[in-house]
Amino acid sequence: MQDTYIFQPIAVVNSPYKEKFGIPRQPGLAETVTSSITLLPEFSTQEIVRGLENCSHIWLLFVFSECLEKGWKPTVRPPRLGGNKRIGVFSSRSPFRPNPIGLSPVKLINIEITEGCTTLFISGADLLDGTPILDIKPYLPYSDSLPEASFPFAENIKLLQQTIFFSESALSTLATEERRLAQPIKNQITELLRCDPRPAYKKNDPDKSYGVKLHDLNIRFRITDEHIYVDLIEVTRQA
């Protein structure tokens, strides 16, 4: 058996997620957030994606590129278990793995081919901007969906149900930025915050303010037992 395998990225992700903090921990949790995948020049041909337009969903195999230098450990503390209980890395979706490879199913919206550039538009991705893609595969409903599957550590997703309040300042910025970006920013922020991006060990501090990056915006928010507050939306783009 060969000891080492070398894989070449075939594409790169263009995502509104500009930093790891705040990205949904699983795909499909923020369906209104759209991203795109640009095939690298040597793979950017019409033939290579022929027939893919018939897929409603696709699998993406990618590299946790921001974790390459941080190594891995045999056990991890998943946020899903409160950040305190350790389980084996192979029992988790941790990005810190012996081989930092991820797998995400996403919705395929459209394929655009212009002047030798092939771009796939997708929604529901949980990928950082600039993530290298190793492979793209069709999602097959008859074999990839397994209703009888179970895993007691993660039987279902628990989204936050608190009422979300946007400050007057945040609403004012939203009105401008939704027009500029042509994106449903308010809905996207709502989906992201209901996934509760806070570190597990800080969830008992209702006064703690956090910032999550989306597009070129910094969303400042707080979460209490009763409410989610979006206090400020700052534009971070360069002048």
Side-chain angles (χ1 to χ4, degrees):
M1 183 178 67
Q2 186 172 333
D3 293 332
T4 302
Y5 299 86
I6 299 175
F7 294 96
Q8 177 183 1
I10 63 165
V12 64
V13 172
N14 305 292
S15 165
Y17 301 125
K18 306 304 180 183
E19 61 182 21
K20 290 186 293 183
F21 180 75
I23 298 179
R25 295 187 176 99
Q26 301 299 336
L29 300 182
E31 296 181 346
T32 62
V33 177
T34 58
S35 305
S36 64
I37 301 168
T38 302
L39 297 184
L40 297 181
E42 57 266 47
F43 303 104
S44 192
T45 67
Q46 186 171 358
E47 289 79 8
I48 205 167
V49 293
R50 182 183 299 165
L52 194 65
E53 71 277 3
N54 296 303
C55 294
S56 66
H57 294 73
I58 55 176
W59 288 105
L60 301 177
L61 280 79
F62 60 91
V63 178
F64 288 110
S65 53
E66 293 296 305
C67 301
L68 289 175
E69 298 180 356
K70 297 182 179 180
W72 66 280
K73 295 180 179 179
T75 62
V76 297
R77 294 184 293 183
R80 183 63 179 258
L81 300 180
N84 296 315
K85 183 176 181 179
R86 284 193 172 273
I87 62 174
V89 67
F90 293 148
S91 302
S92 78
R93 298 286 190 96
S94 170
F96 303 101
R97 319 184 68 80
N99 292 308
I101 297 173
L103 176 68
S104 289
V106 298
K107 183 177 182 180
L108 178 61
I109 300 172
N110 187 32
I111 301 175
E112 185 177 285
I113 303 174
T114 56
E115 299 181 354
C117 181
T118 302
T119 304
L120 282 61
F121 294 91
I122 60 174
S123 67
D126 54 343
L127 303 176
L128 183 69
D129 188 49
T131 294
I133 299 295
L134 295 178
D135 201 5
I136 299 168
K137 300 177 184 293
Y139 180 95
L140 304 180
Y142 76 88
S143 63
D144 295 342
S145 178
L146 304 172
E148 73 278 13
S150 65
F151 185 48
F153 291 152
E155 286 289 354
N156 49 59
I157 181 65
K158 294 181 180 179
L159 299 176
L160 297 180
Q161 299 300 316
Q162 295 97 310
T163 302
I164 298 183
F165 291 99
F166 289 79
S167 71
E168 291 187 8
S169 171
L171 288 173
S172 177
T173 304
L174 272 176
T176 300
E177 297 308 311
E178 285 195 329
R179 289 193 298 268
R180 178 178 68 88
L181 294 169
Q183 293 283 338
I185 307 296
K186 187 176 182 181
N187 289 341
Q188 293 174 353
I189 292 173
T190 297
E191 286 187 327
L192 290 183
L193 297 187
R194 291 210 181 281
C195 292
D196 197 352
R198 297 173 298 170
Y201 61 91
K202 292 186 177 180
K203 291 185 179 182
N204 293 325
D205 185 356
D207 296 321
K208 175 69 176 177
S209 177
Y210 299 89
V212 60
K213 298 288 182 64
L214 182 67
H215 304 287
D216 54 5
L217 306 174
N218 182 31
I219 294 93
R220 304 295 307 182
F221 69 94
R222 294 172 292 120
I223 298 178
T224 70
D225 290 340
E226 295 80 23
H227 302 106
I228 300 173
Y229 298 96
V230 178
D231 296 317
L232 183 66
I233 300 177
E234 303 170 309
V235 181
T236 62
R237 66 181 183 274
Q238 297 295 322

